[in-house]
Amino acid sequence: MELNEFEHSDKLARAKKKVKELKGFYIHLLVYVLVNLFLMTVTIMGIMSSGASFSEALFNFGTFSTPFFWGIGLAFHAAKVFGYSPFFSKDWEQRQINKYVEEEERDANKFR
């Protein structure tokens, strides 16, 4: 019976951690959208005040540089939260764990 309670509390802790990570990602996404809308608006207005047209200001590299580079970071955050990891997948983790457990067993058997 205690094992079942332990499993339940372990599942509950993992669920809470997952919800916290998801909430953190959505807050990051909201801040990303709001800050970049503000920065793009200020950048476009600044470029237009120097005599450029709206389309020239809109398609300027400076207008999209912050959202682009921050977006790369946001994409990595999303990949972590939603479990997409092409390099360090769960299968890779399990293989590494097995490898180190086997090494520990071999080292322990050397001294028997």
Side-chain angles (χ1 to χ4, degrees):
M1 196 64 135
E2 285 185 34
L3 185 59
N4 192 15
E5 290 175 23
F6 176 74
E7 287 176 356
H8 178 69
S9 66
D10 190 39
K11 287 179 182 178
L12 183 62
R14 283 184 296 191
K16 284 182 178 180
K17 181 182 178 203
K18 183 70 176 171
V19 168
K20 186 177 178 182
E21 289 175 352
L22 193 58
K23 182 180 175 184
F25 170 73
Y26 287 134
I27 289 170
H28 187 183
L29 180 63
L30 178 66
V31 170
Y32 171 83
V33 169
L34 295 176
V35 169
N36 282 306
L37 280 175
F38 174 76
L39 289 175
M40 288 174 67
T41 302
V42 169
T43 303
I44 289 171
M45 299 276 287
I47 293 171
M48 287 177 63
S49 70
S50 65
S53 69
F54 177 75
S55 62
E56 290 172 337
L58 183 64
F59 296 112
N60 185 324
F61 175 74
T63 305
F64 290 104
S65 61
T66 302
F68 176 75
F69 292 111
W70 188 352
I72 292 170
L74 185 65
F76 279 108
H77 190 174
K80 178 181 178 273
V81 169
F82 294 109
Y84 178 72
S85 179
F87 303 111
F88 302 113
S89 65
K90 293 290 181 188
D91 185 45
W92 176 85
E93 287 180 18
Q94 191 59 46
R95 285 194 314 267
Q96 294 301 312
I97 290 169
N98 291 339
K99 177 177 128 181
Y100 290 118
V101 166
E102 289 173 7
E103 283 180 17
E104 290 286 328
E105 288 175 358
R106 277 195 308 267
D107 290 343
N109 288 335
K110 285 181 184 178
F111 299 107
R112 286 188 186 190

